[in-house]
Amino acid sequence: MKNTNIKSFTLTAMFLAIMIILAITPLGFIPIGPINATTMHIPVIIASIILGPKIGAGLGGIFGILSLVRSTIIITPMSFVFSPFIANPLTGQGDWRALIVAIIPRILIGVVPYFVYIGINRLLKTKARPVSLFIAGLAGSMTNTILVMNLIFIFFRDSYANVLQVAANAVYGVILGIIFGSGLVEAIVAGIATAGVCAVLLKLMKR
């Protein structure tokens, strides 16, 4: 039990360090038009599967806070949807609902993969572990993309349309394009990384 706790603490610290490095370098947030593709969700997904949903949710919350801080310091046209300290271009004021967009989906990144992995692994048996890991990684990444983009639509549709210079009734089409475009690419990368890294770490945790 003591060795397991030490391993869990060590891995948690490692995942946190990786997230901080990604947050302060261009590797964590990659600009694509008005949005940023991210790799910061990958350590959270892996932690969820290896260490459980509580630690995963905690690291996901830290991801959300790092995203908020970054959006406040490095201002982009979309910073206002992730930081309540950046003025909405239509209202001229910050909006507290940006906290929901920045933090809630990121917490769920640390919860969803664990239960997807457990559920699929039980359904397909242990011989299909790489498949369940890949799908769990995919699900964690899509949880982030789908929730963030839909919350932006719910809370900031008109402002988002203003930034993109499109009609308000065309915004959801743009959002679907992001979800099935860069969001799907992110998800596939996350699935591959999750399957590869978790396979090693799960063996390490059993020793």
Side-chain angles (χ1 to χ4, degrees), residues 41-42 44-61 103-121 132-147 187 194 198:
H41 59 310
I42 295 176
V44 179
I45 293 169
I46 295 171
S48 173
I49 295 169
I50 300 298
L51 302 173
K54 290 183 180 180
I55 292 177
L59 289 173
I103 295 175
I104 298 302
R106 277 61 188 274
I107 291 174
L108 291 175
I109 298 173
V111 176
V112 171
Y114 173 82
F115 291 103
V116 170
Y117 169 68
I118 293 297
I120 295 177
N121 209 40
S132 56
L133 287 171
F134 175 80
I135 295 175
L138 202 75
S141 183
M142 291 305 290
T143 295
N144 179 53
T145 303
I146 290 171
L147 286 179
T194 299
C198 284

